[in-house]
Amino acid sequence: MSKGLSFNGKHTREMDILVTDLKMPLVSNMRDTYESVPGRDGNILFPGWLEDKRIECTFGVRCTRSERIAKLREVAQWLYTRERKQLIFDTSPDVYYMAKVSGQVDVEHLQGISLVKVAFQAEPFAYSVNKTSVSKQITSSDKQITLANNGTYDVFPIIKISNANTNSLSLTLGGDKLTISNAIQTSDVLTIDCDEMTVLLNDTNVLDKTTGTFLSLQPGTNVMTVEAQNTLNVSVEWRERFL
């Protein structure tokens, strides 16, 4: 018997529900394409993307015959959502999935218990419950900041620049470089959201002054170099994700 889980802001123990069975793939299906070429041995691989993860659960809903209808209505209300919600398993409380019930929910009635079979369609990654944040003052003699991504997949951070006095700014990580050709004053806060691909100087969109590639943190140690004309403060925040 599995431990419980939390979905849509409510834990199974609050509803007197048992998780009697759980099936989850280790890695989501990979949508790769293989093409054959006449006269060539083997196929050519075109790497694709990860599909959603299908998580199957069986819930044991304990209730008497007279309580059954009301109890199952409560379960149905809990499971029904129009959007994906956080799904957290007791066996891995440090991560969550973004999931939604998929397909029909079937029920089998036994003596004193009803078995509710549910399939969740989740994003292919588990996300860390807690965000990671690293801050540092960048100077002319120390322009690098080390960022450790302890997840198993790349992530797109939010980068904030403050207390700067420079006419331009460049960030380099791995083979990618992002340049903002706009003056930044000491009272300004520059926010670069590499996931949403937005660049805000305070509340002003300066994407038109931005060139290059938005940065990503690969699993392991990453070193970002900051090029500016004067000392500044940089903070980098991200949420690790796992296959």
Side-chain angles (χ1 to χ4, degrees):
M1 182 180 297
S2 302
K3 292 187 177 181
L5 60 84
S6 175
F7 176 69
N8 194 19
K10 186 175 289 188
H11 197 279
T12 49
R13 77 170 69 92
E14 300 175 49
M15 306 179 67
D16 197 25
I17 292 176
L18 303 174
V19 181
T20 61
D21 190 38
L22 173 64
K23 295 179 181 178
M24 182 190 303
L26 182 62
V27 180
S28 294
N29 183 47
M30 290 168 276
R31 178 73 74 168
D32 295 332
T33 301
Y34 293 86
E35 294 288 347
S36 61
V37 178
R40 182 186 185 278
D41 294 328
N43 294 330
I44 298 176
L45 167 63
F46 295 93
W49 59 91
L50 291 171
E51 294 184 332
D52 281 347
K53 185 171 288 187
R54 182 178 174 85
I55 303 171
E56 298 179 358
C57 299
T58 300
F59 297 136
V61 182
R62 293 178 289 195
C63 55
T64 63
R65 183 182 295 272
S66 61
E67 299 171 329
R68 180 179 292 165
I69 293 177
K71 185 66 176 181
L72 290 177
R73 284 175 177 169
E74 181 186 0
V75 174
Q77 183 180 24
W78 167 56
L79 292 174
Y80 174 76
T81 64
R82 296 185 65 86
E83 300 175 345
R84 283 173 166 166
K85 300 292 183 178
Q86 286 193 7
L87 174 63
I88 303 175
F89 296 95
D90 289 356
T91 51
S92 303
D94 57 326
V95 297
Y96 65 86
Y97 294 88
M98 293 302 297
K100 183 182 185 299
V101 173
S102 174
Q104 181 171 290
V105 178
D106 294 323
V107 182
E108 179 183 357
H109 300 299
L110 304 176
Q111 184 66 36
I113 193 169
S114 294
L115 299 180
V116 179
K117 298 181 180 180
V118 181
F120 293 98
Q121 184 164 330
E123 294 179 8
F125 309 108
Y127 298 89
S128 175
V129 169
N130 299 314
K131 291 182 178 180
T132 301
S133 181
V134 178
S135 300
K136 184 178 180 179
Q137 184 181 64
I138 299 298
T139 66
S140 58
S141 60
D142 189 1
K143 300 181 179 182
Q144 295 185 330
I145 179 171
T146 300
L147 309 166
N149 175 13
N150 294 316
T152 59
Y153 208 78
D154 61 325
V155 295
F156 300 96
I158 296 176
I159 304 167
K160 291 189 176 182
I161 305 294
S162 61
N163 199 32
N165 182 14
T166 183
N167 291 325
S168 64
L169 174 76
S170 291
L171 307 173
T172 304
L173 200 160
D176 296 329
K177 184 175 183 179
L178 190 69
T179 300
I180 294 89
S181 302
N182 196 93
I184 307 171
Q185 308 299 323
T186 54
S187 59
D188 293 331
V189 176
L190 181 72
T191 304
I192 304 167
D193 189 327
C194 295
D195 187 25
E196 297 293 333
M197 296 185 179
T198 59
V199 183
L200 295 177
L201 183 60
N202 303 317
D203 295 324
T204 303
N205 183 356
V206 292
L207 190 60
D208 61 330
K209 304 292 181 63
T210 304
T211 57
T213 304
F214 283 95
L215 309 180
S216 64
L217 302 179
Q218 302 302 310
T221 301
N222 300 258
V223 178
M224 185 174 73
T225 301
V226 182
E227 294 285 352
Q229 291 161 328
N230 294 291
T231 299
L232 56 82
N233 295 330
V234 58
S235 67
V236 185
E237 182 181 78
W238 67 93
R239 192 185 299 277
E240 291 166 350
R241 53 185 183 173
F242 302 83
L243 290 168

